[in-house]
Amino acid sequence: SNILLRESSTGWLIPKVSDWGVATVMLGSGGDERKGLTPEYAAPEQLDTSDHRPINEKTDIYQVGLILYELLTGQLPFEGSLPELKEQKGSEQPKPPSEVADVPTEVDQIVLEALSNSPAARYDTIVYLRDELEGLFEIYGPTGKSRASDPVETAVGTDTYKKEYSHKPADSGTD
């Protein structure tokens, strides 16, 4: 309910997160940032208050990792009661997304780093996570299939492609 979709000028739906639990902390409201959270979408440090880990940008990175995992696999990496979630998120590594769904194995490292139960092992900033995802998008595009494995994609720009697939006649070399 905290993810809104807006349509871009090109027709793509762009997700926007409307509220992170950390917002009240960042604004200095002084409230308990652990109240009102959804345990399935909470980071380990939000569920286990006994270790006094800070709630910060690394918490948001974990939550983005959860959303990515769910978008890629159709399910959350951990399910159960609050005590079960607390135990799982504090001590277990989720199954790699490529073992749950048909996604490239290169996705695994990115998502699992965001979902590390140790905040220190997560991306330093959301920008680094974004950059990793953009790199994969450049390789795989929106289909999730490697562009290098597609003969048409690989041949685009070559003389063979221009002769066999183009509606325009091949350049005869004369003007």
Side-chain angles (χ1 to χ4, degrees), residues 6 13 16 21 42 57-58 76 113 137-138 140-141 149 172-174:
R6 75 169 177 85
L13 291 178
K16 295 287 184 180
E57 184 178 12
K58 300 269 188 150
L76 288 167
E113 185 172 334
F137 193 78
E138 287 176 15
Y140 290 97
S149 66
S172 63
T174 60

Side-chain angles (χ1 to χ4, degrees), residues 34 43-53 55 86 90:
R34 291 172 176 88
E45 59 269 22
Q46 291 176 294
L47 296 177
D48 187 0
T49 59
S50 66
D51 60 7
H52 305 292
R53 290 186 285 184
I55 308 300
K86 183 177 173 181

Side-chain angles (χ1 to χ4, degrees), residues 42-93:
E45 59 269 22
Q46 291 176 294
L47 296 177
D48 187 0
T49 59
S50 66
D51 60 7
H52 305 292
R53 290 186 285 184
I55 308 300
N56 56 28
E57 184 178 12
K58 300 269 188 150
T59 305
D60 291 345
I61 290 169
Y62 186 91
Q63 293 171 324
V64 168
L66 287 169
I67 294 168
L68 284 171
Y69 194 98
E70 188 176 23
L71 287 170
L72 292 166
T73 67
Q75 64 187 49
L76 288 167
F78 302 111
E79 294 179 352
S81 66
L82 181 57
E84 291 168 332
L85 286 169
K86 183 177 173 181
E87 175 62 30
Q88 292 168 3
K89 290 182 178 194
S91 63
E92 298 175 19
Q93 184 75 352

Side-chain angles (χ1 to χ4, degrees), residues 16-172:
K16 295 287 184 180
V17 179
S18 63
D19 180 33
W20 292 108
V22 176
T24 56
V25 175
M26 301 302 280
L27 294 174
S29 70
D32 182 357
E33 63 273 7
R34 291 172 176 88
K35 287 183 183 175
L37 60 83
T38 305
E40 292 82 5
Y41 292 94
E45 59 269 22
Q46 291 176 294
L47 296 177
D48 187 0
T49 59
S50 66
D51 60 7
H52 305 292
R53 290 186 285 184
I55 308 300
N56 56 28
E57 184 178 12
K58 300 269 188 150
T59 305
D60 291 345
I61 290 169
Y62 186 91
Q63 293 171 324
V64 168
L66 287 169
I67 294 168
L68 284 171
Y69 194 98
E70 188 176 23
L71 287 170
L72 292 166
T73 67
Q75 64 187 49
L76 288 167
F78 302 111
E79 294 179 352
S81 66
L82 181 57
E84 291 168 332
L85 286 169
K86 183 177 173 181
E87 175 62 30
Q88 292 168 3
K89 290 182 178 194
S91 63
E92 298 175 19
Q93 184 75 352
K95 274 189 179 180
S98 66
E99 291 181 17
V100 179
D102 184 23
V103 297
T105 56
E106 292 85 351
V107 169
D108 294 346
Q109 186 273 326
I110 294 171
V111 173
L112 294 179
E113 185 172 334
L115 289 176
S116 173
N117 55 22
S118 168
R122 296 180 202 146
Y123 288 94
D124 287 330
T125 73
I126 197 73
V127 173
Y128 294 148
L129 174 58
R130 180 206 62 197
D131 290 349
E132 292 280 344
L133 291 171
E134 283 180 348
L136 276 184
F137 193 78
E138 287 176 15
I139 295 169
Y140 290 97
T143 64
K145 304 294 180 204
S146 175
R147 293 177 179 180
S149 66
D150 183 349
V152 174
E153 285 282 342
T154 305
V156 170
T158 66
D159 289 336
T160 302
Y161 174 80
K162 289 176 186 170
K163 289 177 187 170
E164 294 181 18
Y165 300 103
S166 177
H167 297 290
K168 296 179 182 178
D171 187 355
S172 63

